[in-house]
Every structure is written in structure tokens, then in C-alpha cells.
């Protein structure tokens, strides 16, 4: 099971990152990690998001609260875009039915 998991220590070493950053993300509920034998591991599915958060931290200077806000807003935008696409599809269906 641990062969698919990435240790936080390994991730932080590769990215030259303080492990406290990852711990703060976890404490704020932004990511979750698994602890096995007193070693914290990341799920591989979390890596794309974590790499995005790491870039925001370094390039934009965002703290974990800022990362949480930006992430939340982006999720809302995606949901709204999905809803707009669904409404456009419905509208085109009704327009087709009214103009055979």
C-alpha cells in the first residue's frame, strides 16, 4: 500500500519546501494525508492539486488561507460554467423545437 503513497518528507525535499506548509494545508482541510507508522503520506491523486498550491505559495505568496479562498472560488467558477453549459444546451434544444 505504501508503494503508491508519497511521503511528505520526499515531496518537501523535491520541492525544497518546509513540511510545515503541508501540515498547515492539512490543518486547514485543504488536503488530507495518511499516517502510517508515524510517517505522513500523500495520495497520488492529490499531487496535481498540491503542486498547484505549492506554485501559488511560491509564485503568488499566498498563505494557506489565501490558497483556500482561491481554491473555493475556482470551484464555484467551475460549477457555474457547468451550469451555464447545461442551460445553453437546454436553450438550444428549445430553440430547435420552436424552429423546425
Amino acid at each position: 500500500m505504501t508503494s503508491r503513497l508519497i511521503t511528505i518528507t520526499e515531496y518537501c525535499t523535491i520541492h525544497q519546501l518546509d513540511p510545515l506548509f503541508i501540515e498547515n494545508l492539512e490543518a486547514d482541510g485543504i488536503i488530507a494525508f495518511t499516517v502510517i507508522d508515524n510517517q505522513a503520506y500523500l495520495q497520488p491523486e492529490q499531487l496535481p492539486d498540491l503542486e498547484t498550491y505549492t506554485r501559488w505559495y511560491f509564485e503568488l505568496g499566498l498563505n494557506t488561507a489565501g490558497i483556500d479562498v482561491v481554491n473555493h472560488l475556482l470551484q464555484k467558477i467551475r460549477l457555474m460554467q457547468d451550469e451555464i453549459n447545461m442551460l445553453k444546451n437546454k436553450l438550444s434544444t428549445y430553440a430547435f423545437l420552436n424552429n423546425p
Side-chain angles (χ1 to χ4, degrees):
M1 178 174 159
T2 57
S3 63
R4 295 196 60 226
L5 302 173
I6 295 97
T7 66
I8 289 177
T9 306
E10 180 181 10
Y11 180 85
C12 290
T13 301
I14 292 168
H15 289 83
Q16 299 175 348
L17 187 64
D18 184 357
L20 186 59
F21 172 70
I22 306 278
E23 292 169 11
N24 289 337
L25 288 173
E26 197 270 338
D28 289 346
I30 299 171
I31 64 163
F33 52 77
T34 305
V35 177
I36 302 172
D37 297 329
N38 292 328
Q39 181 71 15
Y41 294 91
L42 298 164
Q43 296 290 334
E45 305 86 49
Q46 291 183 312
L47 283 180
D49 289 338
L50 184 55
E51 288 174 358
T52 298
Y53 305 149
T54 302
R55 281 195 315 277
W56 291 350
Y57 176 74
F58 281 122
E59 295 173 11
L60 301 177
L62 294 179
N63 60 12
T64 55
I67 289 169
D68 192 30
V69 167
V70 170
N71 194 40
H72 178 73
L73 290 173
L74 287 173
Q75 287 176 353
K76 282 191 145 201
I77 289 170
R78 286 184 200 108
L79 288 173
M80 290 171 64
Q81 287 173 332
D82 290 344
E83 185 177 4
I84 288 169
N85 288 333
M86 180 198 61
L87 292 170
K88 282 181 179 179
N89 289 339
K90 282 185 178 182
L91 184 60
S92 66
T93 301
Y94 291 128
F96 177 76
L97 293 175
N98 289 331
N99 296 320

PDB file of all heavy atoms in Angstrom, residues 57-71:
ATOM      1  N   TYR A  57       1.825  29.267  -3.519  1.00  0.00           N
ATOM      2  CA  TYR A  57       2.573  29.658  -2.319  1.00  0.00           C
ATOM      3  C   TYR A  57       3.860  30.382  -2.700  1.00  0.00           C
ATOM      4  O   TYR A  57       4.167  31.458  -2.178  1.00  0.00           O
ATOM      5  CB  TYR A  57       2.859  28.406  -1.494  1.00  0.00           C
ATOM      6  CG  TYR A  57       3.705  28.628  -0.270  1.00  0.00           C
ATOM      7  CD1 TYR A  57       3.172  29.243   0.858  1.00  0.00           C
ATOM      8  CD2 TYR A  57       5.022  28.200  -0.231  1.00  0.00           C
ATOM      9  CE1 TYR A  57       3.939  29.429   1.990  1.00  0.00           C
ATOM     10  CE2 TYR A  57       5.801  28.384   0.898  1.00  0.00           C
ATOM     11  CZ  TYR A  57       5.251  28.997   2.003  1.00  0.00           C
ATOM     12  OH  TYR A  57       6.030  29.186   3.127  1.00  0.00           O
ATOM     13  N   PHE A  58       4.608  29.804  -3.641  1.00  0.00           N
ATOM     14  CA  PHE A  58       5.891  30.397  -4.031  1.00  0.00           C
ATOM     15  C   PHE A  58       5.728  31.585  -4.969  1.00  0.00           C
ATOM     16  O   PHE A  58       6.341  32.632  -4.766  1.00  0.00           O
ATOM     17  CB  PHE A  58       6.794  29.359  -4.719  1.00  0.00           C
ATOM     18  CG  PHE A  58       7.483  28.435  -3.753  1.00  0.00           C
ATOM     19  CD1 PHE A  58       7.312  27.067  -3.847  1.00  0.00           C
ATOM     20  CD2 PHE A  58       8.317  28.923  -2.773  1.00  0.00           C
ATOM     21  CE1 PHE A  58       7.955  26.202  -2.976  1.00  0.00           C
ATOM     22  CE2 PHE A  58       8.966  28.080  -1.884  1.00  0.00           C
ATOM     23  CZ  PHE A  58       8.780  26.714  -1.984  1.00  0.00           C
ATOM     24  N   GLU A  59       4.938  31.441  -6.013  1.00  0.00           N
ATOM     25  CA  GLU A  59       4.864  32.463  -7.060  1.00  0.00           C
ATOM     26  C   GLU A  59       3.962  33.629  -6.696  1.00  0.00           C
ATOM     27  O   GLU A  59       4.229  34.766  -7.094  1.00  0.00           O
ATOM     28  CB  GLU A  59       4.401  31.827  -8.372  1.00  0.00           C
ATOM     29  CG  GLU A  59       5.397  30.816  -8.915  1.00  0.00           C
ATOM     30  CD  GLU A  59       4.886  30.048 -10.118  1.00  0.00           C
ATOM     31  OE1 GLU A  59       3.833  30.424 -10.679  1.00  0.00           O
ATOM     32  OE2 GLU A  59       5.536  29.057 -10.496  1.00  0.00           O
ATOM     33  N   LEU A  60       2.881  33.367  -5.971  1.00  0.00           N
ATOM     34  CA  LEU A  60       1.946  34.428  -5.633  1.00  0.00           C
ATOM     35  C   LEU A  60       2.055  34.883  -4.179  1.00  0.00           C
ATOM     36  O   LEU A  60       1.443  35.868  -3.784  1.00  0.00           O
ATOM     37  CB  LEU A  60       0.501  33.975  -5.905  1.00  0.00           C
ATOM     38  CG  LEU A  60       0.188  33.574  -7.348  1.00  0.00           C
ATOM     39  CD1 LEU A  60      -1.248  33.073  -7.455  1.00  0.00           C
ATOM     40  CD2 LEU A  60       0.426  34.738  -8.284  1.00  0.00           C
ATOM     41  N   GLY A  61       2.810  34.119  -3.400  1.00  0.00           N
ATOM     42  CA  GLY A  61       2.982  34.477  -1.996  1.00  0.00           C
ATOM     43  C   GLY A  61       1.731  34.265  -1.158  1.00  0.00           C
ATOM     44  O   GLY A  61       1.549  34.922  -0.138  1.00  0.00           O
ATOM     45  N   LEU A  62       0.869  33.332  -1.589  1.00  0.00           N
ATOM     46  CA  LEU A  62      -0.359  33.068  -0.844  1.00  0.00           C
ATOM     47  C   LEU A  62      -0.083  32.183   0.362  1.00  0.00           C
ATOM     48  O   LEU A  62       0.682  31.222   0.278  1.00  0.00           O
ATOM     49  CB  LEU A  62      -1.390  32.371  -1.729  1.00  0.00           C
ATOM     50  CG  LEU A  62      -1.951  33.165  -2.902  1.00  0.00           C
ATOM     51  CD1 LEU A  62      -2.944  32.308  -3.677  1.00  0.00           C
ATOM     52  CD2 LEU A  62      -2.610  34.441  -2.426  1.00  0.00           C
ATOM     53  N   ASN A  63      -0.719  32.512   1.476  1.00  0.00           N
ATOM     54  CA  ASN A  63      -0.657  31.627   2.628  1.00  0.00           C
ATOM     55  C   ASN A  63      -1.780  30.594   2.497  1.00  0.00           C
ATOM     56  O   ASN A  63      -2.528  30.605   1.519  1.00  0.00           O
ATOM     57  CB  ASN A  63      -0.763  32.432   3.932  1.00  0.00           C
ATOM     58  CG  ASN A  63      -2.052  33.219   4.034  1.00  0.00           C
ATOM     59  OD1 ASN A  63      -2.988  33.018   3.262  1.00  0.00           O
ATOM     60  ND2 ASN A  63      -2.102  34.139   4.987  1.00  0.00           N
ATOM     61  N   THR A  64      -1.917  29.728   3.483  1.00  0.00           N
ATOM     62  CA  THR A  64      -2.903  28.656   3.352  1.00  0.00           C
ATOM     63  C   THR A  64      -4.328  29.199   3.327  1.00  0.00           C
ATOM     64  O   THR A  64      -5.186  28.652   2.637  1.00  0.00           O
ATOM     65  CB  THR A  64      -2.759  27.616   4.469  1.00  0.00           C
ATOM     66  OG1 THR A  64      -2.830  28.269   5.742  1.00  0.00           O
ATOM     67  CG2 THR A  64      -1.453  26.865   4.357  1.00  0.00           C
ATOM     68  N   ALA A  65      -4.595  30.289   4.032  1.00  0.00           N
ATOM     69  CA  ALA A  65      -5.936  30.885   3.991  1.00  0.00           C
ATOM     70  C   ALA A  65      -6.229  31.422   2.590  1.00  0.00           C
ATOM     71  O   ALA A  65      -7.334  31.235   2.062  1.00  0.00           O
ATOM     72  CB  ALA A  65      -6.057  31.994   5.027  1.00  0.00           C
ATOM     73  N   GLY A  66      -5.256  32.058   1.966  1.00  0.00           N
ATOM     74  CA  GLY A  66      -5.424  32.562   0.614  1.00  0.00           C
ATOM     75  C   GLY A  66      -5.610  31.439  -0.386  1.00  0.00           C
ATOM     76  O   GLY A  66      -6.425  31.533  -1.307  1.00  0.00           O
ATOM     77  N   ILE A  67      -4.864  30.369  -0.206  1.00  0.00           N
ATOM     78  CA  ILE A  67      -4.994  29.201  -1.082  1.00  0.00           C
ATOM     79  C   ILE A  67      -6.397  28.619  -0.968  1.00  0.00           C
ATOM     80  O   ILE A  67      -7.018  28.277  -1.971  1.00  0.00           O
ATOM     81  CB  ILE A  67      -3.920  28.154  -0.740  1.00  0.00           C
ATOM     82  CG1 ILE A  67      -2.542  28.660  -1.185  1.00  0.00           C
ATOM     83  CG2 ILE A  67      -4.229  26.796  -1.374  1.00  0.00           C
ATOM     84  CD1 ILE A  67      -1.379  27.849  -0.677  1.00  0.00           C
ATOM     85  N   ASP A  68      -6.909  28.549   0.245  1.00  0.00           N
ATOM     86  CA  ASP A  68      -8.253  28.019   0.455  1.00  0.00           C
ATOM     87  C   ASP A  68      -9.297  28.898  -0.238  1.00  0.00           C
ATOM     88  O   ASP A  68     -10.216  28.388  -0.892  1.00  0.00           O
ATOM     89  CB  ASP A  68      -8.543  27.919   1.949  1.00  0.00           C
ATOM     90  CG  ASP A  68      -9.796  27.122   2.261  1.00  0.00           C
ATOM     91  OD1 ASP A  68     -10.134  26.201   1.482  1.00  0.00           O
ATOM     92  OD2 ASP A  68     -10.445  27.413   3.276  1.00  0.00           O
ATOM     93  N   VAL A  69      -9.155  30.212  -0.139  1.00  0.00           N
ATOM     94  CA  VAL A  69     -10.103  31.129  -0.767  1.00  0.00           C
ATOM     95  C   VAL A  69     -10.054  30.995  -2.285  1.00  0.00           C
ATOM     96  O   VAL A  69     -11.100  30.862  -2.941  1.00  0.00           O
ATOM     97  CB  VAL A  69      -9.812  32.593  -0.342  1.00  0.00           C
ATOM     98  CG1 VAL A  69     -10.573  33.577  -1.207  1.00  0.00           C
ATOM     99  CG2 VAL A  69     -10.143  32.795   1.127  1.00  0.00           C
ATOM    100  N   VAL A  70      -8.866  31.010  -2.866  1.00  0.00           N
ATOM    101  CA  VAL A  70      -8.734  30.905  -4.322  1.00  0.00           C
ATOM    102  C   VAL A  70      -9.282  29.569  -4.804  1.00  0.00           C
ATOM    103  O   VAL A  70     -10.015  29.513  -5.802  1.00  0.00           O
ATOM    104  CB  VAL A  70      -7.265  31.093  -4.756  1.00  0.00           C
ATOM    105  CG1 VAL A  70      -7.080  30.754  -6.225  1.00  0.00           C
ATOM    106  CG2 VAL A  70      -6.803  32.511  -4.473  1.00  0.00           C
ATOM    107  N   ASN A  71      -8.952  28.503  -4.106  1.00  0.00           N
ATOM    108  CA  ASN A  71      -9.440  27.172  -4.475  1.00  0.00           C
ATOM    109  C   ASN A  71     -10.966  27.126  -4.429  1.00  0.00           C
ATOM    110  O   ASN A  71     -11.614  26.604  -5.346  1.00  0.00           O
ATOM    111  CB  ASN A  71      -8.829  26.122  -3.548  1.00  0.00           C
ATOM    112  CG  ASN A  71      -9.019  24.730  -4.056  1.00  0.00           C
ATOM    113  OD1 ASN A  71      -8.909  24.461  -5.243  1.00  0.00           O
ATOM    114  ND2 ASN A  71      -9.317  23.812  -3.150  1.00  0.00           N
TER     115      ASN A  71
END
